[in-house]
Amino acid sequence: MHRYRSHTCGQLRAADVDTDVRLSGWLHNRRNLGGILFIDLRDHYGLVQLVVRPDTAANEALSSISKETVVRIDGRVIARGADNVNPELPTGEIEVEVADVEVLGAADPLPFTVFPEDGVGEERRLEYRFLDLRRERMHRNIMLRSAVISAIRQKMTAQGFNELATPILSATSPEGARDFLVPSRLHAGKFYALPQAPQQFKQLLMIAGFDRYFQIAPCFRDEDARADRSPGEFYQLDVEMSFVEQEDVFGVIEKVMTELFEEFGGGRHVTSPFPRIPFREAMLKYGSDKPDLRAQLELRDVSHIFEGSGFKAFADKHVRALAVPDTADQPRKFFDQLGEFASLQGAKGLAWVRIGEDAKLTGPIAKFLNHEDVEKLITEVQGKPGTSIFFGAGEFDEVSKIMGAVRVEAAKRTGHFEEGVFRFCWIVDFPMFERNEDTGQIEFSHNPFSMPQGGLEALETKDPLDILAWQYDIVCNGVELSSGAIRNHEPDVMYKAFALAGYDRDEVEREFGGMLRAFHFGAPPHGGIAPGVDRIVMLLADEPNIRETIAFPLNGNAQDLLMGAPSEVDEARLRELHLSVRKPPQVKKAETSEKAETSEKAEKADKAEKTAAEAEKPAE
C-alpha cells in the first residue's frame, strides 16, 4: 500500500464497503459521542467521516490533537446506518473505522477557525492566507479560477488562436498607470519596467505574421486598490487578431464569454447578443460607461425643460431625470432613503415629483413647474400615473455619477432589477481625446495606440474633441471586464495622433521606436482586447471583492502580509544596483523621532546604571 494513501478523502462510495484503505488529510472537525469519536477528515478532494472506537490507541491519539493537524489513518470502509446517511456529502453513505493513525504534521493553536468559517478581519486572513485558503469558500473560488483559465485556453485554441508568451522585463509604456520599475545591475541608472500590459509586444506579433495570439498574461500596475481591482498584479486574457474590424473581435469574445458564463455561472442566464452602446449614449441613459443593464430604468436629459427656469436650483444646469414606474404606493420613507443614498454618492439632495391620476404632479418641487413644463416633462420621461421622477442637477460628470448610482439603487428597491442573469454589453465610439481639466491640454482619453475613426483625415480636419476612436469596452453587470481597440498601424497616423496629445516626433520615436520601426515594414490592420481573468472569476463566484478570487493577493495598501513584501534591501545590494534610498520627509522625521527616543532611553539607562554603581560603592 502507498506510504500515505490508497484513496483520497472524497473518493470512497458505497461500493467500497469492506475495503481496507489508507487516507491522509487534515483533521477538519471532531465530535465525541459517548466515547466514540467521529472525525471529519479533509483533503483537496473532499471530506470523509471517520469513526474511532473507545479504548483504542487511535482513539487516544485522535482525541487530543488539535484541528488542522495532518494525519494518516488506516481503516476499513463500513456502511452508515440508514438514519445516518448524509445526502449532502458525496461520501455520505459510508464511514471509515480507524485501526491505526500517524501524525504527519502537527498544528499549533489556530489564529482563526477553518471550520466553522467564523468571521475574521481581512488583514488576519491575508497574514495566514495558507489557512484561509483551506476554508471551503476560498478553496472553491481558487478551483473555479483554475477551471475558468483551463476553459479559456481550450476555447481560444478552438477558435484558431495560438498561446504565445511576451516579456516580463521591458521598457516603460504610457498605459495610464504607474510602472513598477526594476533597476538594472549591468546598466547603471537604467530601469526595466514590468508590463502594465503586453500591448506593444502583441502588436509586434501581428506584424510578425502570427495572425491570432492569446495569452493568460500577468500585468503589473502601481495603482490603488478597489473592490474590482487588486493592487500590484492582475491577469488578463490578452488577445490580438490580424486583418479584422471591430465586429470580428466582438464575435470571438462574445462566443468565449457566453460559453464561459453559461458553463460556470451556476444556471444564471447569459443574454446574447451583447448590445452595442455608444459611449455618449451610455453616459446619458445610464450615467456610466460601465452600465448595469440588470437595472431596467433609464435616465433622461431634461435640461432644456428647466433652461432659463425660475427654479434656481435647476436653472442653467445639466439636469437628469429618472422615472420610476409603479411607485404610487411607496411611503415617504422610500423617497427619504433614496435621497440619503444620493447624498452618500455626493449629492446635496434628491429632488422628486410624483405623477397623479389626473397627470398633475405632487412632491417637493412640483410648485416650481408650470403646466407647460409638466407636459414636457411627462412626455420626455414617458411618465404615467403612479410614476415618480427623481432629479439630479449640476455638472455633467457629477450628475452622471450620482444619478447612475441612484438608477441602480432605485431599480433594486422597486422590483425593476433583474436577478440571476449576466447582462453583457459593448460600449463603443469612445472619444479619442479629452481635455485635462487642470492643464487645459488635449490628452488621450483611452488607449493611445487606437485607430481614430476617419484615420488621418479626421486628425487633420476635425476638432480633436469630436474625433471618435475604434475603441470599445466589454461590460457585465456593471463591471468593466476590459478595454480594447482596433490599432493604429500607420506611422503617419500615429505621429499626428500623438502630436495632438502634445508629443513631438522625437519623443514618439524615443518612446515607441520599436513599434514605429515595425510599422515601416508592412503592418497588417489588427485589433484586440484583454478581459480581466480576476474580474471574470469574481462575477462567476458572485464575490464582491476581487481579492476573494486570488490565491495570494496584496492587501489594500499593496502589502503581502504573509511574505512581508515590500521589504527593505541591505546597503550592499543597493550599491550593486547603483541605488540610494531617499525617504520622504515624514518617514525621516519618524525615524529621527524614534532615534531620539532610543537615545533618550539609553541616556536614562546609563544614568540608572551610574546611580546604581554609586549606591553600591563602599562608604569611605
Side-chain angles (χ1 to χ4, degrees):
M1 189 175 285
H2 189 273
R3 169 72 177 86
Y4 296 115
R5 61 188 179 190
S6 60
H7 298 74
T8 67
C9 292
Q11 189 175 358
L12 298 174
R13 300 291 186 271
D16 297 302
V17 168
D18 293 331
T19 302
D20 290 326
V21 298
R22 176 171 287 174
L23 305 174
S24 289
W26 286 262
L27 198 161
H28 185 68
N29 196 25
R30 175 173 49 211
R31 301 171 298 282
N32 189 328
L33 301 179
I36 300 177
L37 287 182
F38 290 93
I39 289 175
D40 294 333
L41 190 68
R42 183 195 77 244
D43 67 6
H44 169 76
Y45 303 96
L47 206 69
V48 65
Q49 180 170 283
L50 311 179
V51 58
V52 192
R53 304 298 176 188
D55 303 323
T56 64
N59 187 292
E60 184 178 346
L62 289 170
S63 63
S64 59
I65 60 177
S66 62
K67 284 187 180 182
E68 295 306 304
T69 293
V70 180
V71 297
R72 186 224 80 213
I73 68 98
D74 290 345
R76 171 158 289 198
V77 181
I78 59 177
R80 292 197 196 192
D83 294 339
N84 294 322
V85 169
N86 185 350
E88 296 181 3
L89 204 62
T91 60
E93 292 182 292
I94 60 92
E95 55 193 9
V96 177
E97 187 169 12
V98 177
D100 186 43
V101 61
E102 178 187 2
V103 173
L104 300 176
D108 290 340
L110 303 175
F112 54 82
T113 61
V114 172
F115 176 83
E117 295 188 20
D118 293 336
V120 59
E122 185 182 64
E123 299 291 288
R124 194 74 163 162
R125 289 175 57 205
L126 293 179
E127 184 181 358
Y128 292 92
R129 189 62 162 183
F130 50 87
L131 285 179
D132 193 41
L133 290 173
R134 293 182 191 176
R135 305 217 261 185
E136 183 182 0
R137 179 175 66 91
M138 288 304 305
H139 196 86
R140 184 174 61 246
N141 284 353
I142 300 307
M143 290 310 298
L144 171 63
R145 182 189 180 96
S146 175
V148 165
I149 290 173
S150 178
I152 286 173
R153 285 194 162 100
Q154 294 170 10
K155 295 177 192 306
M156 294 304 295
T157 302
Q159 292 200 66
F161 285 80
N162 303 294
E163 185 169 9
L164 304 171
T166 53
I168 296 297
L169 293 178
S170 185
T172 185
S173 178
E175 296 289 338
R178 296 182 190 89
D179 290 314
F180 279 104
L181 300 177
V182 180
S184 170
R185 176 179 58 84
L186 298 176
H187 305 280
K190 294 187 177 181
F191 295 81
Y192 302 100
L194 302 183
Q196 293 188 37
Q199 180 68 57
Q200 294 188 63
F201 286 107
K202 68 177 181 176
Q203 289 191 244
L204 290 168
L205 286 170
M206 295 303 99
I207 297 168
F210 287 97
D211 200 71
R212 289 193 163 201
Y213 142 95
F214 87 98
Q215 180 184 189
I216 307 298
C219 302
F220 306 89
R221 296 183 185 179
D222 186 3
E223 56 189 1
D224 295 335
R226 293 193 316 223
D228 63 349
R229 175 195 293 163
S230 181
E233 64 182 286
F234 61 93
Y235 285 78
Q236 62 189 30
L237 165 59
D238 205 52
V239 177
E240 200 73 12
M241 309 162 61
S242 288
F243 304 108
V244 293
E245 295 180 306
Q246 184 169 276
E247 285 297 323
D248 299 306
V249 178
F250 290 179
V252 167
I253 298 302
E254 281 196 29
K255 179 175 173 59
V256 171
M257 291 298 141
T258 299
E259 292 178 357
L260 202 63
F261 277 74
E262 285 180 345
E263 182 176 350
F264 297 102
R268 286 169 283 181
H269 178 59
V270 180
T271 56
S272 186
F274 305 168
R276 281 75 166 143
I277 306 172
F279 168 77
R280 289 193 172 106
E281 180 183 327
M283 294 303 295
L284 279 171
K285 283 187 176 180
Y286 309 110
S288 171
D289 60 357
K290 47 183 179 183
D292 191 339
L293 297 185
R294 293 174 299 174
Q296 299 166 336
L297 301 174
E298 293 183 0
L299 302 172
R300 290 285 186 272
D301 182 357
V302 294
S303 306
H304 59 285
I305 294 174
F306 295 94
E307 201 169 29
S309 151
F311 185 35
K312 293 182 180 179
F314 284 7
D316 303 320
K317 293 181 180 177
H318 177 77
V319 185
R320 207 83 60 88
L322 174 69
V324 186
D326 309 319
T327 49
D329 298 329
Q330 290 286 356
R332 179 59 186 256
K333 184 179 179 181
F334 163 75
F335 297 91
D336 292 342
Q337 288 178 340
L338 206 55
E340 290 170 6
F341 175 83
S343 297
L344 292 175
Q345 312 308 310
K348 294 178 182 177
L350 187 65
W352 59 273
V353 294
R354 187 157 45 187
I355 305 174
E357 289 296 334
D358 53 0
K360 289 186 178 179
L361 300 186
T362 57
I365 69 165
K367 61 185 177 184
F368 297 107
L369 297 168
N370 60 39
H371 179 71
E372 185 180 350
D373 292 338
V374 170
E375 287 187 342
K376 286 181 182 177
L377 179 62
I378 292 175
T379 301
E380 186 69 46
V381 303
Q382 299 177 359
K384 297 177 181 178
T387 295
S388 298
I389 308 171
F390 297 87
F391 301 92
E395 296 296 325
F396 182 91
D397 290 344
E398 178 190 24
V399 172
S400 296
K401 172 182 173 291
I402 293 168
M403 292 304 292
V406 169
R407 181 187 79 87
V408 176
E409 184 67 16
K412 289 179 178 178
R413 289 173 180 261
T414 58
H416 294 93
F417 191 86
E418 191 176 9
E419 300 284 359
V421 297
F422 292 111
R423 282 203 167 271
F424 284 87
C425 66
W426 292 102
I427 305 300
V428 298
D429 297 341
F430 279 89
M432 183 80 181
F433 302 98
E434 63 186 8
R435 191 179 299 281
N436 185 302
E437 292 183 2
D438 297 326
T439 66
Q441 298 298 309
I442 297 293
E443 298 178 339
F444 289 110
S445 63
H446 233 53
N447 190 315
F449 303 111
S450 304
M451 178 65 82
Q453 295 185 21
L456 185 60
E457 182 182 354
L459 296 175
E460 292 178 337
T461 60
K462 285 189 171 184
D463 182 330
L465 299 180
D466 292 334
I467 299 172
L468 301 180
W470 291 114
Q471 296 170 343
Y472 37 82
D473 284 359
I474 185 170
V475 176
C476 178
N477 290 4
V479 175
E480 179 198 322
L481 294 182
S482 175
S483 295
I486 298 300
R487 315 302 181 190
N488 180 355
H489 67 285
E490 300 176 18
D492 290 346
V493 177
M494 187 170 175
Y495 281 125
K496 184 62 179 177
F498 274 86
L500 290 175
Y503 292 78
D504 61 38
R505 192 181 184 94
D506 290 341
E507 194 174 1
V508 174
E509 290 175 351
R510 184 172 61 254
E511 296 287 343
F512 315 111
M515 198 157 66
L516 267 172
R517 282 197 302 275
F519 284 172
H520 286 283
F521 291 91
H526 57 283
I529 194 168
V533 171
D534 310 310
R535 293 183 181 182
I536 289 171
V537 180
M538 183 180 77
L539 285 169
L540 291 171
D542 201 22
E543 289 284 2
N545 194 303
I546 205 166
R547 288 193 285 278
E548 303 301 311
T549 70
I550 301 169
F552 298 101
L554 302 180
N555 70 0
N557 291 322
Q559 296 169 301
D560 180 346
L561 300 181
L562 175 60
M563 304 302 286
S567 59
E568 293 186 350
V569 176
D570 63 44
E571 188 61 34
R573 184 70 175 129
L574 289 173
R575 281 198 302 270
E576 188 180 33
L577 294 170
H578 323 290
L579 295 176
S580 61
V581 175
R582 184 174 62 188
K583 294 185 178 180
Q586 60 268 31
V587 175
K588 288 182 179 178
K589 185 176 179 181
E591 287 182 348
T592 302
S593 175
E594 187 177 335
K595 287 178 181 177
E597 185 179 345
T598 303
S599 177
E600 186 179 345
K601 286 180 179 177
E603 284 181 16
K604 287 181 179 178
D606 287 344
K607 286 180 181 178
E609 285 181 11
K610 287 178 181 177
T611 303
E614 290 291 332
E616 289 174 0
K617 282 183 181 180
E620 294 182 354

